[in-house]
Amino acid sequence: MTEIRTTENAAELQLRLDRLLDEGAEALGHPFNPQAVGFEARDSDGTFLGGIYGWGQLGWFFVKLLALAPEARKRGVGGKLLAKAEEHARSEGLSGVYLDTYAFQAPAFYAKMGYEEIGRLPAVGDHPQRVWFAKTLGEVRS
């Protein structure tokens, strides 16, 4: 009989699940091999303003995190960080960039930056909608 229980070590479980998924993808000829990268923004005095972090995998770059300090917002910093991630994706020969945000966060920003909405969770109760965006890049090197 199968028993389902709460894990005592979520971090270890995540690693074990990642290994299982990696092995399965490898066996199917599509190894994940994520290539993580991050870029940070700083003012001329060295003050940390925010950053972007994600990884290239299977032809696309996924933006896991993009966050700005309050004083960096509305100054073009987010756009510069996103452009840097796109530049990196192009240099790696990736097809495009995708990410998700919540409806209360930055959907208008991503649309302004040329990203197309590709999906969203349904609105249920008072829970905020999660919105996915993607942008295919122009010519990329192979």
Side-chain angles (χ1 to χ4, degrees):
M1 177 179 215
T2 301
E3 174 189 352
I4 308 294
R5 61 183 172 181
T6 302
T7 186
E8 293 180 17
N9 186 336
E12 175 60 27
L13 177 61
Q14 179 183 346
L15 290 173
R16 293 175 79 190
L17 295 174
D18 278 343
R19 275 188 234 114
L20 287 174
L21 289 171
D22 289 346
E23 290 168 5
E26 178 85 32
L28 294 170
H30 297 285
F32 289 139
N33 297 331
Q35 303 297 310
V37 66
F39 303 100
E40 58 183 53
R42 293 189 178 268
D43 251 342
S44 57
D45 66 359
T47 302
F48 178 73
L49 299 175
I52 191 167
Y53 168 81
W55 53 83
Q57 179 175 296
L58 296 174
W60 284 83
F61 187 82
F62 173 61
V63 175
K64 171 67 174 163
L65 300 169
L66 190 162
L68 299 175
E71 64 272 16
R73 296 179 187 143
K74 307 290 186 200
R75 290 178 37 194
V77 177
K80 288 178 182 177
L81 286 165
L82 203 52
K84 186 67 174 178
E86 292 170 11
E87 177 187 312
H88 171 76
R90 276 187 192 89
S91 74
E92 293 295 313
L94 301 175
S95 300
V97 177
Y98 71 105
L99 54 91
D100 66 274
T101 188
Y102 283 98
F104 67 87
Q105 287 178 312
F109 165 73
Y110 293 114
K112 180 178 142 186
M113 297 300 296
Y115 284 73
E116 290 185 44
E117 182 178 321
I118 59 171
R120 72 174 51 213
L121 290 175
V124 179
D126 293 334
H127 303 293
Q129 282 191 303
R130 196 165 192 173
V131 186
W132 280 266
F133 286 90
K135 181 178 184 179
T136 54
L137 300 174
E139 190 173 320
V140 295
R141 72 168 180 79
S142 304

